[in-house]
Amino acid sequence: MTDKAVTQTWLVLVAITVGSWWLAPAQYSDALRASVPITALVLALTLIKSRLIIRQFMEVRTAPRWLKLATDGWLVVLFGAIFTIYLI
């Protein structure tokens, strides 16, 4: 992976991290309340971050197609389970 690709990926990861922090309701009020839409959005952003890390920094982008599909499937199942548990 080129230095430019590493830098671009890192900048996207930083932007998603800052965006997730910005969504935290505690910075707007003293009361902490659970919010399903905000939680869903933060989990979706985390899914994107996880996929970027796996693809770019763990070299899965150059791996066989079955491994790409397996890691994507694993992420979908994992984050689906996390969100389901949150809703229960």
Side-chain angles (χ1 to χ4, degrees):
M1 183 159 60
T2 65
D3 289 343
K4 184 177 179 180
V6 170
T7 302
Q8 289 174 341
T9 303
W10 180 79
L11 287 173
V12 170
L13 292 170
V14 169
I16 291 172
T17 301
V18 171
S20 296
W21 172 82
W22 182 77
L23 289 170
Q27 63 184 343
Y28 304 114
S29 68
D30 291 335
L32 293 176
R33 292 177 314 250
S35 169
V36 174
I38 290 175
T39 301
L41 183 56
V42 169
L43 279 175
L45 290 172
T46 305
L47 176 74
I48 293 167
K49 283 177 65 172
S50 300
R51 188 171 189 269
L52 279 171
I53 291 167
I54 290 170
R55 286 282 173 115
Q56 299 299 332
F57 297 112
M58 297 175 75
E59 300 294 333
V60 173
R61 67 182 158 69
T62 59
R65 183 178 173 156
W66 67 266
L67 184 58
K68 292 177 187 179
L69 292 174
T71 56
D72 286 347
W74 177 74
L75 285 172
V76 168
V77 169
L78 176 66
F79 281 92
I82 291 170
F83 191 61
T84 301
I85 291 169
Y86 172 76
L87 291 175
I88 293 177

